[in-house]
Amino acid sequence: PSVVLNNGVRMPVLSLGTAEYNGSQLEEAILSATKLGMQGVDTAFNYYNQVSVGNAVRQLNRSKVFLVTKTSPCFHPQAPPRYNISSVDLCKAQTRRDVESDLAQLGVDSVDLLLLHGANHFGGGVCGTASCALNSAQWEVYEEVLRE
């Protein structure tokens, strides 16, 4: 099953999660899952396995794989990478670097869906003025990447 996004892209409702996997074990899992009909593959910068994901995806017909990755929030002091960026301009620059790094690690020119791996927030999870500005800044970078 799949859904159609606002931009007309068809996205599978199920994807193979790749956290906790790496190396040849992960590559075999992706190749096996796609043989069974799985089309989505989900990874992130902090799964530390994007090279392995890319190795597997490049063995497949790229048009048959819906590839998802995620970048870190700019204010993310709890887990690696521990960003503590409060400037919108610095946030945009870091997000751009993170996207370029993700694409390089995956060995692809683009992904099908780019997500923010946990929203920016300062404290109780409420989106205040500063954290919402960072979320918006990262979203702007995602839109720029989409247009390129």
Side-chain angles (χ1 to χ4, degrees):
S2 62
V3 296
V4 178
L5 303 177
N6 289 341
N7 62 0
V9 172
R10 184 169 295 281
M11 178 182 76
V13 295
L14 297 173
S15 289
L16 177 68
T18 63
E20 310 281 328
Y21 289 96
N22 211 338
S24 61
Q25 179 189 32
L26 173 57
E27 291 175 34
E28 289 173 26
I30 292 170
L31 296 173
S32 295
T34 57
K35 285 179 186 170
L36 295 172
M38 181 71 69
Q39 294 175 321
V41 177
D42 178 275
T43 188
F45 68 96
N46 68 343
Y47 298 171
Y48 308 106
N49 63 11
Q50 292 191 120
V51 171
S52 297
V53 170
N55 288 342
V57 167
R58 287 190 310 277
Q59 295 178 52
L60 301 165
N61 179 342
R62 181 66 181 86
S63 68
K64 303 279 186 192
V65 178
F66 192 91
L67 184 57
V68 179
T69 194
K70 306 165 199 80
T71 64
S72 179
C74 288
F75 188 82
H76 194 252
Q78 298 88 2
R82 287 180 171 82
Y83 293 154
N84 191 7
I85 301 169
S86 57
S87 158
V88 166
D89 290 337
L90 292 176
C91 179
K92 284 182 171 182
Q94 183 61 55
T95 301
R96 172 62 73 166
R97 285 190 297 272
D98 289 347
V99 170
E100 291 170 357
S101 175
D102 286 346
L103 295 175
Q105 288 178 55
L106 290 163
V108 298
D109 294 327
S110 65
V111 294
D112 299 293
L113 182 62
L114 183 58
L115 298 172
L116 178 55
H117 206 191
N120 295 284
H121 62 85
F122 307 100
V126 177
C127 185
T129 303
S131 57
C132 285
L134 295 176
N135 291 337
S136 293
Q138 291 192 269
W139 186 261
E140 287 176 30
V141 173
Y142 297 163
E143 289 183 336
E144 290 170 9
V145 169
L146 178 63
R147 287 189 297 269
E148 294 173 355

Coordinates of all heavy atoms in Angstrom, one line a residue, residues 9 22 26-27 40 43 53 58-59 63 66 76 78 93 96 112 141 143 146:
V9 N 4.2 12.6 -5.4 CA 5.1 11.5 -5.2 C 4.3 10.4 -4.4 O 3.6 10.7 -3.4 CB 6.3 11.9 -4.4 CG1 7.2 10.7 -4.0 CG2 7.2 12.9 -5.2
N22 N 24.0 -2.9 10.3 CA 25.1 -2.3 9.6 C 25.8 -3.4 8.8 O 25.5 -4.6 8.9 CB 26.1 -1.7 10.6 CG 26.9 -0.5 10.0 OD1 26.9 -0.4 8.8 ND2 27.4 0.3 10.9
L26 N 23.0 -5.6 7.0 CA 22.1 -4.6 6.5 C 21.8 -4.7 5.0 O 20.7 -4.7 4.6 CB 22.5 -3.2 6.9 CG 21.6 -2.1 6.4 CD1 20.2 -2.2 6.8 CD2 22.2 -0.8 6.9
E27 N 22.9 -4.8 4.3 CA 22.8 -4.9 2.8 C 21.9 -6.1 2.4 O 21.0 -6.0 1.6 CB 24.2 -5.0 2.2 CG 24.9 -3.7 2.3 CD 26.4 -3.7 1.8 OE1 26.6 -4.4 0.8 OE2 27.2 -3.0 2.4
G40 N 10.2 0.7 0.6 CA 10.7 1.8 1.4 C 11.9 1.3 2.2 O 11.9 0.2 2.8
T43 N 16.5 5.3 6.8 CA 17.8 5.4 7.6 C 17.9 6.8 8.1 O 17.0 7.7 8.0 CB 19.0 5.1 6.6 OG1 20.2 5.0 7.4 CG2 19.2 6.1 5.5
V53 N 23.5 1.2 3.7 CA 22.2 1.4 3.0 C 22.5 1.8 1.5 O 21.9 1.2 0.6 CB 21.4 2.5 3.7 CG1 20.2 2.9 2.8 CG2 21.0 2.0 5.1
R58 N 22.1 1.0 -4.3 CA 22.8 1.1 -5.6 C 22.8 -0.2 -6.4 O 23.0 -0.2 -7.6 CB 24.2 1.7 -5.5 CG 24.1 3.2 -5.1 CD 25.5 3.9 -5.2 NE 26.5 3.2 -4.5 CZ 26.8 3.3 -3.2 NH1 26.0 4.0 -2.4 NH2 27.7 2.6 -2.6
Q59 N 22.5 -1.3 -5.7 CA 22.4 -2.6 -6.4 C 21.0 -2.8 -7.0 O 20.8 -3.8 -7.7 CB 22.7 -3.7 -5.5 CG 24.2 -3.7 -5.0 CD 24.4 -4.9 -4.0 OE1 24.1 -6.0 -4.3 NE2 25.0 -4.6 -2.8
S63 N 14.6 3.6 -9.0 CA 13.2 4.0 -9.2 C 12.2 3.1 -8.4 O 11.0 3.5 -8.2 CB 12.8 4.1 -10.7 OG 12.7 2.8 -11.2
F66 N 12.0 3.6 -2.4 CA 11.7 4.9 -1.8 C 12.6 5.1 -0.6 O 12.5 4.5 0.4 CB 10.2 4.9 -1.3 CG 9.7 6.3 -0.9 CD1 9.1 7.1 -1.9 CD2 9.9 6.8 0.4 CE1 8.7 8.4 -1.5 CE2 9.4 8.0 0.7 CZ 8.8 8.8 -0.2
H76 N 20.1 20.2 19.6 CA 19.9 18.8 20.0 C 21.0 18.4 20.9 O 22.0 17.7 20.6 CB 20.1 18.0 18.7 CG 19.6 16.6 18.8 ND1 20.5 15.5 18.8 CD2 18.4 16.1 18.9 CE1 19.8 14.4 18.9 NE2 18.5 14.7 18.9
Q78 N 21.0 16.5 23.5 CA 20.9 15.2 24.2 C 21.7 14.1 23.6 O 22.1 13.2 24.2 CB 19.4 14.8 24.3 CG 18.5 15.8 25.1 CD 18.0 16.9 24.2 OE1 18.2 16.9 23.0 NE2 17.3 17.8 24.8
A93 N 23.0 26.6 7.5 CA 24.3 26.2 7.0 C 24.6 24.8 7.5 O 25.1 23.9 6.7 CB 25.4 27.1 7.4
R96 N 22.4 22.2 5.6 CA 22.9 22.0 4.3 C 24.1 21.0 4.3 O 24.1 20.1 3.5 CB 23.3 23.4 3.7 CG 24.0 23.3 2.3 CD 23.2 22.7 1.3 NE 22.1 23.5 0.8 CZ 21.4 23.3 -0.3 NH1 21.7 22.3 -1.1 NH2 20.5 24.1 -0.7
D112 N 14.1 10.3 -1.5 CA 12.7 10.5 -1.8 C 12.0 11.3 -0.7 O 11.0 12.0 -0.9 CB 12.0 9.2 -2.0 CG 12.7 8.5 -3.2 OD1 12.5 9.0 -4.4 OD2 13.3 7.5 -3.0
V141 N 15.7 24.7 4.0 CA 16.8 24.0 3.4 C 16.3 22.8 2.7 O 16.7 22.5 1.5 CB 17.9 23.7 4.4 CG1 19.0 22.8 3.7 CG2 18.5 24.9 5.0
E143 N 13.4 22.3 1.3 CA 12.7 22.8 0.1 C 13.7 23.2 -1.0 O 13.5 22.9 -2.1 CB 11.7 23.9 0.4 CG 10.5 23.4 1.2 CD 9.5 24.4 1.5 OE1 9.8 25.6 1.5 OE2 8.3 24.1 1.6
L146 N 15.1 20.1 -2.5 CA 14.1 19.5 -3.4 C 14.0 20.2 -4.8 O 13.9 19.6 -5.8 CB 12.7 19.6 -2.8 CG 11.5 19.1 -3.6 CD1 11.7 17.6 -3.8 CD2 10.2 19.3 -2.9

